[in-house]
Amino acid sequence: YVSIDVAASHHATLAYLFKQSGDYTRAGEEALRVFRLQPENPEVVQFVELLFAKIPSDPIITSNLAFIYAQPGPQQQAQKAISIYSQLIANYPNNPDYRWRLIEIYYDQKDYDRAYANAIIMLEILPNQKEGVENFIKQMPPVHWSNYQKKFGF
């Protein structure tokens, strides 16, 4: 058995070593593992922000930073997360992960109109996920399910 603190320390060491070797993407991946183990650790946010400053075009580092910003807690910066995910979607429009994360943030912020609009776009990207998207829309206020039924001729 390995404690959470020991595991986080292990991943933090790997993140540091990858950063030192210039492999910023893998450093960011390890930092995200630390964050998942210790979401209250403020050093993780600072570390990923430093990586982002070095390579702002790296989609993995960028999405890791957006993920951290989107999480509840002292590091939450939902508007920054929305901005980052929106830019990632502009750069990678067919990546469903970025859009789902954006949808989740809008939903958590109770911005159901934007969550709904992005869910409809998600159907175009992943038509085989229709049931999942429909179930998600049903969790929103009833007007959204009604709009969906009208739009798709139910």
Side-chain angles (χ1 to χ4, degrees):
Y1 171 77
V2 176
S3 75
I4 288 175
D5 289 340
V6 170
S9 177
H10 169 75
H11 289 295
T13 300
L14 287 172
Y16 174 78
L17 292 173
F18 283 128
K19 177 184 167 275
Q20 292 303 103
S21 71
D23 192 342
Y24 301 121
T25 300
R26 290 191 62 194
E29 290 170 342
E30 290 300 327
L32 186 60
R33 288 182 179 99
V34 174
F35 178 81
R36 289 179 190 268
L37 292 167
Q38 295 178 327
E40 72 288 346
N41 184 337
E43 293 176 14
V44 177
V45 178
Q46 295 167 354
F47 185 82
V48 176
E49 287 173 336
L50 286 171
L51 295 175
F52 177 73
K54 289 185 177 292
I55 309 179
S57 62
D58 185 302
I60 293 173
I61 294 171
T62 305
S63 65
N64 287 350
L65 184 59
F67 177 83
I68 290 169
Y69 283 159
Q71 301 311 301
Q75 77 293 332
Q76 186 176 36
Q77 298 182 53
Q79 292 307 312
K80 281 187 178 181
I82 288 169
S83 176
I84 292 170
Y85 279 126
S86 296
Q87 186 59 53
L88 284 166
I89 289 167
N91 293 341
Y92 307 95
N94 293 323
N95 183 315
D97 294 333
Y98 302 146
R99 189 163 307 272
W100 266 122
R101 295 283 186 201
L102 183 62
I103 290 168
E104 290 172 342
I105 295 168
Y106 284 140
Y107 183 84
D108 291 344
Q109 298 281 309
K110 298 185 180 357
D111 189 344
Y112 300 117
D113 292 339
R114 286 194 174 107
Y116 171 79
N118 278 278
I120 297 301
I121 295 169
M122 184 61 84
L123 284 175
E124 297 170 12
I125 297 169
L126 292 174
N128 62 333
Q129 297 296 317
K130 181 178 179 181
E131 184 178 345
V133 171
E134 287 179 348
N135 287 335
F136 180 79
I137 292 170
K138 288 177 184 176
Q139 295 177 31
M140 295 181 196
V143 66
H144 295 93
W145 179 245
S146 178
N147 289 343
Y148 177 83
Q149 289 175 313
K150 290 175 190 170
K151 180 175 181 77
F152 292 99
F154 281 77

